[in-house]
């Protein structure tokens, strides 16, 4: 650019040799300074592929040796799309780096070395994660992000027809209500299961217009779910015999709804019946085998056939294996949430084939902080690292004590969220 300007300038003005020299020196200095600033600013990013041996390099034993160069292209600060989200995605930090190779880029090399890249850039201590994307034919984009450790939310995060689940790589994570499926959440005691359950419940209460009935089950005599009891279409269950009877009601509903769907030629029911079950492991410790099996059979049937009728299971457990929950149930719960755990069976529920720990986060699942989770969307199978918000008693009690439908109407009548 500068060269062209200079040529044009020289052409149109009658410049003497001495002037040329002066202009040359200025030009050269500008280019030199610009380059120097460029390298000083980005040197770490520029040398990254070479320091870590990620660039395609010589293959000694072949005659067609070639050295490809992975060139640093750009650094970009990333922000959620809307201004509101930028404010609401508290503590989310992210940026990206792009590299190009003129011949071919080895994206897998970057993926396999994700943790080394973070070490090299000094981002491990800052708890950054990196995700590697292929771009065009010869580019690779590394997205670095760091999720907040802990944050709270207010009513403005929740929206009708959507579930707000937390903060992930790109900002606020929402899932559409009409694509919801069964969910299984596992994590050791204290990992944040019940807190996540309340988060889901708040989302449901924001969508009461779509919900026929909610069952809140806790057989361990916990107090977490009892507070929802005062809501009209919520039934709190703490007794296993009562649960057994109620599940018959649900199955009857299921049959009815299946008939309706057949008659009306519809594939999916619009109304939801939600079964939220905290500490589902409690069933397997119940001494009466008959009741245990009856409940498992009914849950299996719901897990298999409930979705089209809008009857959905949300099961929470510390551990998952065949003795705790039959695989006929587990296999049908497609959305999976994994919180802190050191149990390998639990870790496998997110993905039986891949080692998810390597791919999604470098932090071992057993070292997850509270509310940190790998979330697998049952519909798309996409896996994301999410930080759930902490749900305080104040927010929860406010939502329960005000009729939530009123609050939702109030919010809907305000300007869009
Ligand atoms: N998302 C979160 N962020 C920060 N702290 C959390 C979060 N979720 C839970 N906690 C903390 O951890 C404690 C245990 O959470 P809880 O949901 O009861 O775990 P669990 O049901 O798995 O035993 C809570 O008292 C809360 O203070
Ligand atoms: Mg709990």
């Amino acid at each position: 650019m500068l060269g062209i300007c200079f040529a044009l300038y020289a052409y149109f003005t009658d410049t003497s040799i001495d002037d040329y020299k002066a202009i040359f020196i200025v030009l050269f200095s500008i280019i030199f300074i610009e380059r120097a600033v460029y390298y000083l600013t980005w040197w770490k990013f520029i040398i990254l592929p070479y320091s870590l041996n990620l660039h395609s390099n010589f293959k000694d034993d072949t005659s067609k040796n070639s050295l490809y160069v992975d060139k640093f292209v750009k650094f970009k600060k990333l922000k959620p799309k809307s201004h509101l989200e930028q404010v609401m995605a508290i503590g989310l930090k992210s940026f990206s780096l792009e590299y190009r190779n003129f011949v071919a880029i080895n994206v897998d090399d970057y993926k396999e070395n994700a943790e080394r890249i973070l070490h090299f850039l000094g981002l491990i201590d800052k708890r950054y994660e990196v995700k590697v994307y292929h771009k065009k034919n010869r580019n690779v984009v590394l997205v670095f992000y760091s999720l907040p450790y802990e944050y709270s939310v207010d009513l403005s995060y929740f929206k009708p027809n959507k579930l707000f689940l937390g903060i992930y790589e790109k900002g606020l994570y929402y899932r559409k209500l009409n694509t919801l499926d069964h969910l299984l959440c596992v994590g050791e005691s204290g990992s944040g299961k019940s807190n996540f359950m309340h988060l889901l419940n708040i989302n449901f209460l924001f969508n009461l217009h779509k919900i026929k009935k909610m069952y809140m089950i806790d057989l361990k005599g916990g107090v977490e779910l009892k507070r929802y009891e005062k809501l009209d279409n919520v039934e709190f269950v703490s007794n296993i015999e009562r649960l057994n009877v109620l599940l018959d009601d649900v199955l009857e509903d299921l049959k009815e709804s299946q008939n309706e769907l057949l008659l009306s030629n519809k594939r999916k029911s619009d109304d939801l019946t939600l079964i939220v079950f905290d500490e589902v492991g409690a069933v397997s410790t119940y001494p009466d085998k008959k009741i245990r099996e009856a409940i498992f059979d009914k849950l299996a049937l719901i897990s298999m056939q409930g979705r089209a009728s809008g009857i959905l299971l949300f099961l929470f457990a510390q551990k998952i294996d065949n003795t705790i929950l039959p695989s006929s149930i587990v296999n049908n719960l497609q959305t999976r949430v994994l919180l802190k755990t050191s149990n390998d069976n639990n870790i496998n529920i997110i993905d039986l084939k891949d080692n998810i720990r390597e791919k999604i986060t470098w932090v071992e699942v057993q070292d997850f902080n509270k509310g940190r989770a790998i979330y697998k969307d049952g519909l798309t199978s996409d896996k994301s690292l999410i930080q759930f918000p902490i749900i305080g008693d104040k927010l929860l009690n406010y939502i329960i004590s005000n009729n939530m439908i009123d609050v939702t109407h109030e919010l809907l009548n305000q300007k869009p969220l």
Side-chain angles (χ1 to χ4, degrees):
M1 258 311 276
L2 276 170
I4 294 169
C5 292
F6 175 67
L8 287 174
Y9 175 78
Y11 182 76
F12 285 114
T13 56
D14 211 3
T15 325
S16 74
I17 298 288
D18 273 355
D19 287 347
Y20 271 136
K21 245 196 234 158
I23 292 167
F24 252 130
I25 289 168
V26 171
L27 204 65
F28 194 75
S29 314
I30 291 174
I31 293 171
F32 180 79
I33 290 168
E34 192 272 331
R35 283 291 91 183
V37 170
Y38 179 83
Y39 283 109
L40 280 174
T41 314
W42 307 119
W43 66 273
K44 233 179 171 173
F45 300 149
I46 294 166
I47 63 171
L48 182 146
Y50 315 105
S51 308
L52 300 179
N53 238 345
L54 297 174
H55 58 298
S56 320
N57 45 12
F58 280 107
K59 287 187 188 87
D60 291 327
D61 49 347
T62 66
S63 52
K64 288 177 249 158
N65 287 344
S66 51
L67 180 65
Y68 306 146
V69 181
D70 287 9
K71 186 176 181 291
F72 170 62
V73 185
K74 75 176 165 210
F75 167 91
K76 208 163 126 192
K77 265 214 152 115
L78 303 174
K79 280 182 184 159
K81 278 185 207 123
S82 77
H83 178 69
L84 192 66
E85 248 199 51
Q86 284 172 34
V87 178
M88 287 162 87
I90 310 154
L92 172 70
K93 284 176 274 179
S94 59
F95 65 91
S96 72
L97 300 179
E98 187 172 339
Y99 292 89
R100 175 186 304 141
N101 187 300
F102 291 103
V103 186
I105 197 133
N106 197 344
V107 174
D108 287 340
D109 262 2
Y110 282 88
K111 280 189 181 155
E112 276 157 30
N113 288 287
E115 198 172 335
R116 284 177 69 214
I117 293 174
L118 288 167
H119 268 295
F120 177 78
L121 295 175
L123 293 173
I124 291 274
D125 292 344
K126 295 177 188 160
R127 294 250 153 185
Y128 268 84
E129 301 287 344
V130 61
K131 237 179 165 176
V132 178
Y133 294 97
H134 208 166
K135 187 182 164 189
K136 294 184 204 149
N137 276 340
R138 296 181 295 247
N139 289 30
V140 61
V141 178
L142 312 177
V143 174
F144 297 87
Y145 66 100
S146 139
L147 299 178
Y149 241 60
E150 196 180 313
Y151 65 100
S152 51
V153 290
D154 57 40
L155 287 178
S156 64
Y157 286 77
F158 301 94
K159 298 178 183 185
N161 303 318
K162 279 182 179 180
L163 303 186
F164 166 69
L165 295 182
I167 295 180
Y168 79 128
E169 176 197 342
K170 294 185 180 129
L172 305 184
Y173 193 107
Y174 284 98
R175 175 134 185 220
K176 282 188 194 146
L177 192 67
N178 61 7
T179 68
L180 214 56
D181 61 346
H182 304 298
L183 177 147
L184 173 64
C185 171
V186 292
E188 64 182 45
S189 178
S191 59
K193 292 185 300 296
S194 298
N195 181 80
F196 173 53
M197 183 176 65
H198 290 307
L199 174 68
L200 285 173
N201 286 343
I202 293 177
N203 279 295
F204 297 148
L205 296 183
F206 253 77
N207 288 285
L208 277 180
H209 58 292
K210 286 267 172 73
I211 290 167
K212 216 158 46 181
K213 179 125 196 176
M214 285 176 76
Y215 296 93
M216 306 251 188
I217 307 160
D218 186 343
L219 304 179
K220 284 207 167 157
V223 287
E224 301 270 6
L225 287 168
K226 193 167 166 49
R227 60 182 106 194
Y228 294 93
E229 207 173 18
K230 28 182 144 153
L231 291 164
D232 282 346
N233 36 5
V234 174
E235 171 125 21
F236 173 68
V237 189
S238 56
N239 172 292
I240 194 160
E241 275 105 13
R242 172 113 183 95
L243 173 64
N244 197 14
V245 174
L246 283 172
L247 286 178
D248 283 332
D249 292 351
V250 175
L251 285 179
E252 214 151 280
D253 270 1
L254 175 61
K255 254 192 220 149
E256 232 170 71
S257 149
Q258 283 172 335
N259 284 336
E260 264 172 42
L261 289 179
L262 269 176
L263 283 176
S264 60
N265 229 343
K266 273 182 15 184
R267 287 176 52 213
K268 217 169 155 239
S269 161
D270 294 328
D271 289 331
L272 296 173
T273 299
L274 307 174
I275 301 167
V276 180
F277 201 149
D278 201 6
E279 305 288 1
V280 71
V283 178
S284 67
T285 60
Y286 194 72
D288 186 341
K289 191 175 171 207
K290 237 168 140 187
I291 280 210
R292 258 179 4 229
E293 283 179 351
I295 286 180
F296 283 146
D297 286 349
K298 289 167 196 174
L299 288 177
L301 209 59
I302 294 170
S303 74
M304 238 178 309
Q305 303 182 2
R307 221 192 127 214
S309 301
I311 302 174
L312 299 177
L313 295 172
F314 296 85
L315 307 188
F316 297 80
Q318 293 184 24
K319 262 195 221 154
I320 282 297
D321 59 41
N322 268 333
T323 61
I324 292 167
L325 201 63
S327 54
S328 54
I329 301 173
V330 175
N331 292 343
N332 286 308
L333 311 175
Q334 290 297 319
T335 291
R336 310 268 169 104
V337 179
L338 185 70
L339 287 148
K340 174 178 178 172
T341 181
S342 51
N343 179 302
D344 278 344
N345 278 335
N346 287 354
I347 292 170
N348 277 341
I349 70 145
I350 284 288
D351 203 312
L352 295 165
K353 289 184 218 107
D354 299 324
N355 181 352
I356 46 97
R357 288 169 289 182
E358 304 272 329
K359 291 214 163 153
I360 295 157
T361 166
W362 58 268
V363 180
E364 296 285 348
V365 183
Q366 69 201 38
D367 298 327
F368 274 15
N369 53 295
K370 288 175 191 291
R372 179 66 48 101
I374 297 173
Y375 178 92
K376 178 183 176 190
D377 181 315
L379 210 67
T380 61
S381 290
D382 283 345
K383 291 171 213 149
S384 309
L385 191 69
I386 293 195
Q387 180 68 32
F388 298 137
I390 183 155
I391 304 297
D393 278 335
K394 217 171 133 196
L395 178 71
L396 205 53
N397 292 337
Y398 173 80
I399 291 170
I400 295 170
S401 61
N402 289 273
N403 190 335
M404 206 49 219
I405 292 181
D406 292 344
V407 179
T408 314
H409 275 305
E410 220 172 89
L411 284 165
L412 282 174
N413 291 334
Q414 284 171 11
K415 54 183 172 346
L417 292 170

